[in-house]
Amino acid sequence: MAEITAEAVRTLREMTNLPMMDCKKALVEAGGDQAKAVELLKEKVKGLKLKVADRMTSEGRVATLTAADGKSAVMIEVQCESAPVAKSPDFLFFCDQLTKQLLNGPGAASPDELLGQKCPDKPAMTLRELHDDILNRIRENIVVARILKLTGPIAGYTHHDGTLGVLIQAKGDNATAPVLRDVAMHIAALNPTVCLPEQLDPAPVAAEKARQSEEARKSGKPENIIEKIVEGKMRMFYNNEGVLVAQPFAKDDTKSVAQALSAAGLTATGFTRWRLGKP
């Protein structure tokens, strides 16, 4: 018979919050295998949840999902403790179910509200029940950190490693234009600070415009030419300040992002960029 140490019993007690004697019996029956002991306790104690809520969650996934008509999209962040779990089928299925329900369901103002809704592909259980089932099997803390649903035209993009997600919003009639997802990828790669020039601090913008106007007037050129010179200089300024629409488009740097969208009849209105674990 495997030796059941006091430390093993204490660890199982901390995980399950069950009496020490129950934990010791389960370990004896499981031959000292802690994972098997947990399964035995789950069979005996209906609804057993492992005590993992205080563990750090530095891994996970930012997931996005866009409606087929391009008129709405969602983004969620789900955190866990380890990189292998973040790539596991159970964890990815949980993220998939969360995004599907948030996109196609009644909506939710908080992760807790979303977890109370039905699981799309397992309607006999709620998303919280799915969460608890996975948590008890994986034995890691899994936290739905934040959720977001926006209307379109819109597109979402999740970086291949799952640590970065983007939603880009626009106005126009071409809600399913592929360029929207391309711009979302551009945002992921180049990390603009704002979407539009008017979202910058107006004081530095006004000061730069005044400086460029003064410089241009020294040339003695007509006022209409001076205006065009200043416009060109300000486009460079906006690009340097990280304004999305002024940046050279990553997929075709002969155009700005604004020009690439305009070719599809669209105008950018805003974006949201989430990095895993970052506010």
Side-chain angles (χ1 to χ4, degrees):
M1 179 187 295
E3 180 184 359
I4 308 302
T5 65
E7 182 62 30
V9 175
R10 189 179 304 111
T11 298
L12 189 58
R13 165 77 172 84
E14 290 175 353
M15 290 174 64
T16 63
N17 210 27
L18 292 175
M20 296 285 281
M21 188 57 67
D22 289 350
C23 294
K24 184 173 182 179
K25 286 180 180 177
L27 282 166
V28 170
E29 188 176 346
D33 186 324
Q34 191 175 85
K36 187 176 179 181
V38 168
E39 294 302 315
L40 291 169
L41 288 169
K42 282 171 62 179
E43 291 175 10
K44 295 175 181 178
V45 183
K46 188 176 181 180
L48 172 66
K49 297 180 182 179
L50 299 186
K51 190 178 177 183
V52 296
D54 56 347
R55 295 182 189 167
M56 293 295 291
T57 51
S58 58
E59 300 291 339
R61 184 171 185 83
V62 178
T64 60
L65 183 62
T66 305
D69 62 5
K71 293 183 178 179
S72 60
V74 298
M75 184 158 60
I76 63 166
E77 179 182 344
V78 186
Q79 299 172 351
C80 61
E81 296 177 53
S82 67
V85 165
K87 296 176 175 60
S88 70
D90 280 339
F91 186 86
L92 294 176
F93 177 72
F94 182 51
C95 292
D96 173 73
Q97 295 301 287
L98 287 166
T99 54
K100 282 183 178 178
Q101 181 60 23
L102 185 58
L103 181 67
N104 302 313
S110 67
D112 188 64
E113 184 180 344
L114 180 60
L115 286 168
Q117 297 177 17
K118 293 295 183 183
C119 180
D121 294 345
K122 293 187 175 182
M125 65 193 315
T126 65
L127 288 164
R128 182 174 286 107
E129 288 168 339
L130 176 64
H131 167 270
D132 292 347
D133 177 64
I134 294 171
L135 184 148
N136 278 335
R137 283 188 285 109
I138 291 179
R139 301 187 295 281
E140 273 201 13
N141 195 9
I142 298 172
V143 177
V144 183
R146 48 183 168 171
I147 63 173
L148 179 66
K149 182 176 182 178
L150 297 173
T151 56
I154 190 167
Y157 169 73
T158 295
H159 194 52
H160 64 84
D161 64 1
T163 64
L164 180 64
V166 174
L167 296 182
I168 170 68
Q169 289 176 283
K171 59 182 179 181
D173 296 327
N174 196 0
T176 58
V179 70
L180 277 170
R181 187 173 186 277
D182 292 339
V183 172
M185 294 174 67
H186 169 107
I187 294 166
L190 297 181
N191 194 18
T193 56
V194 296
C195 183
L196 305 169
E198 51 264 37
Q199 293 169 335
L200 291 173
D201 184 343
V205 173
E208 179 65 15
K209 192 169 186 178
R211 188 181 73 81
Q212 293 294 350
S213 297
E214 184 179 351
E215 283 290 320
R217 285 193 175 90
K218 291 178 182 178
S219 67
K221 293 180 180 178
E223 195 64 27
N224 63 324
I225 301 298
I226 290 173
E227 287 180 9
K228 293 185 181 300
I229 292 172
V230 173
E231 284 177 10
K233 295 288 187 181
M234 290 306 294
R235 281 195 294 271
M236 294 176 59
F237 172 78
Y238 293 142
N239 177 31
N240 292 335
E241 291 296 307
V243 178
L244 171 65
V245 295
Q247 290 180 324
F249 186 34
K251 198 169 182 179
D252 179 1
D253 62 9
T254 65
K255 304 175 183 177
S256 67
V257 170
Q259 289 170 333
L261 288 168
S262 179
L266 296 165
T267 304
T269 59
F271 68 85
T272 304
R273 185 181 189 271
W274 285 355
R275 171 72 72 177
L276 181 69
K278 304 293 183 182

